[in-house]
Amino acid sequence: MMKDWIKSGSPWIWMTAGAVALSVLSVFFVLWMTAAKGLTHFWPKAVLQTTFRDGEQLVRVIGELREVEEVSVRRLQEAGFKIDTQQPFVERALIKLGNRDLTGQDFRWFPLPLLGEFDYPRDILTVERHEWGNFYGHLKAVKEGEQVVAEGPQAWGELQARVQRAQGLFRQILRIEKDDIGDVNYRIEQLRLRERKAQLQGKLDEALKAELAQQRAALDAEFAQLQQQLQALREAIGRDTLVAEIADGRTVEIKLALVADVYQPNAMSTPQKISHYVRKFWEFLTDDPREANTEGGIFPAIFGTVTMVLVMSVIVTPFGIMAAIYMREYAKQGPLIRIIRVSVNNLAGVPSIVYGVFGLGFFVYLLGGNIDRLFYPEALPAPTFGTPGLMWASLTLAILTLPVVIVATEEGLARVPRSVREGSLALGATKAETLIRTVLPMASPAMMTGLILAVARAAGEVAPLMLVGVVKLAPSLPIDGYPPFIHLERKFMHLGFHIYDVGFQSPNVEAARPLVYATALLLVILIMVLNLAAIHLRNHLREKYRGLESV
């Protein structure tokens, strides 16, 4: 009975089904864990207030409860905590204290037996700042200059109105600094390069010098005017101050110019919390990062990743498809083609960091350096293309993913029946017409699948990009309103490198951890969408040309 069951092949079917089910469960578990730890970061967390028995002193503690874990009493006693209990293990709590500019600590572990009862006062503020992270405290008053304009229960309403005013002024300052002054600096740099180019060509005469001087004077006047506007806005935004009492009883004043957001999480209703969550998640997707990438958004990383993948796709698609067409349709099948196929397959197994080293040496130093000497001599010694950038990162990843496109395209061409080719030729079509109008459309499912799988791999690569273009923070996007509009020489941010940087290079690991999970979830979803799109497109094209395959 058992032998017949084994001979029937049923055990192998069940083993295969079990392996598939286990793989699917593993994927869903990774997604669930990442989502649970990442997406909850944007929910407004309640701020507790309790007491901590530090030796003979009783200290007030204000902060967010982040984590609770079990730890041995002996370990806590060795750390200096005086815990009187017979139990071998107790729980300890990780509390985000904030106020690290005042106390030097952002997070701290507290043994639960040494903490008092948890209280959640409704008047506790959570202040998100542009620098130094969160601030927690009891709101006492709002000041305009040195004059108190509201205190007590009336302070919260006054504070909300003045924070909105400060945020509007902050956006105006940011627009002038980033857009208007950036535009003036760009034009000044263009004048400098024009003057340098004319000097190298021997065309810098007195008339040109006068013209350049006149334009530079106009730009300097425009720059001075913008600086005056900035000074007025900075004085206006520095007018208001909030006064709050922190855990140790001190009264602290915070300029509203430093405040990114302020709310009372313990007093928020559920609709207010949902609105806050949506707003923070949108800011995460659309804002620039701040505080060493541990706060703010990841829009430059999303933009850089998508731009790099698009440029890489434009490069890898024609070369990969043409190489596969030549090897399958035109080249004489012999030892040389077999060696090339083996080499292509081997390239798929080369560690990605090797491609990064090759890209740095060949593309950046060799090609980029020569391009600078030939086409951008006026910018030297400052490199233009002779430094890591978007172009070289895209080319490096194009070479890295080229084997995937070649192999997938070749497999698609091999599946086209020979009778289709012969029928097309018998009807009078040339070999090129047969290839373009008959063979390639039938092989397009495999070609598109190979391309999108290459895109999915490129979106998750990190190691080679660290050498050929990706940076921690890119102040300028690769695409903007200045000619030639697509700046392939610029450095860029990338989601994969952003995860590495925030997770392993951040000075505040506990604060950065939720952002690591949120960014990782976004990257995983992006790769899954690309793969699902590949499957859907492949199935659609397969159904479209199913009739030809049966010929």
Side-chain angles (χ1 to χ4, degrees), residues 191 195 207-220:
L191 283 181
E195 182 180 14
L208 182 57
K209 286 183 179 180
E211 179 186 350
L212 294 175
Q214 184 179 4
Q215 294 179 9
R216 188 174 291 110
L219 290 175
D220 290 340

Side-chain angles (χ1 to χ4, degrees), residues 319-427:
F319 285 102
I321 293 176
M322 286 190 294
I325 290 173
Y326 175 77
M327 289 192 294
R328 175 59 59 177
E329 301 293 329
Y330 289 97
K332 182 179 180 181
Q333 303 301 310
L336 179 60
I337 293 298
R338 286 196 293 271
I339 292 173
I340 293 175
R341 285 198 179 96
V342 171
S343 301
V344 169
N345 292 328
N346 288 338
L347 282 175
V350 175
S352 59
I353 190 65
V354 176
Y355 288 97
V357 174
F358 171 78
L360 180 65
F362 182 74
F363 292 134
V364 178
Y365 294 151
L366 183 60
L367 289 184
N370 288 325
I371 288 174
D372 284 352
R373 284 189 289 272
L374 290 174
F375 300 103
Y376 303 96
E378 67 275 9
L380 293 174
T384 303
F385 278 93
T387 184
L390 177 63
M391 169 63 83
W392 309 134
S394 301
L395 278 171
T396 301
L397 289 187
I399 294 177
L400 187 149
T401 57
L402 189 61
V404 178
V405 178
I406 293 176
V407 171
T409 303
E410 266 211 280
E411 290 178 354
L413 294 172
R415 286 199 297 267
V416 177
R418 184 177 182 83
S419 58
V420 173
R421 295 177 172 85
E422 293 174 348
S424 177
L425 295 172
L427 291 173

Side-chain angles (χ1 to χ4, degrees), residues 99-126:
N99 307 359
R100 70 172 185 266
D101 55 326
L102 303 171
T103 63
Q105 283 185 304
D106 199 7
F107 289 83
R108 184 180 175 185
W109 288 97
F110 294 92
L112 284 182
L114 300 182
L115 292 176
E117 293 185 1
F118 289 175
D119 185 25
Y120 296 89
R122 296 174 62 86
D123 67 327
I124 288 185
L125 287 179
T126 296

Side-chain angles (χ1 to χ4, degrees), residues 305 308-309 352 397 453-465 494-497 499 523-524 526-527 530:
T305 303
M308 182 208 67
V309 167
S352 59
L397 289 187
L453 289 176
V455 168
R457 181 180 178 186
E461 282 293 343
V462 177
L465 298 180
H494 185 271
L495 285 172
F497 181 77
I499 294 170
L523 183 58
V524 169
L526 176 64
I527 295 175
L530 290 172

Side-chain angles (χ1 to χ4, degrees), residues 139-144 147-150 155 158-159 162 241-242:
L139 178 62
K140 294 301 180 182
V142 177
K143 298 173 65 176
E144 181 177 327
Q147 181 182 359
V148 175
V149 295
E158 187 68 27
L159 176 62
R162 292 177 180 260
T241 306
L242 71 86

Side-chain angles (χ1 to χ4, degrees), residues 180-191:
D180 298 343
I181 292 182
D183 179 67
V184 172
N185 288 333
Y186 172 80
R187 286 182 285 164
I188 290 175
E189 178 64 13
Q190 293 304 305
L191 283 181

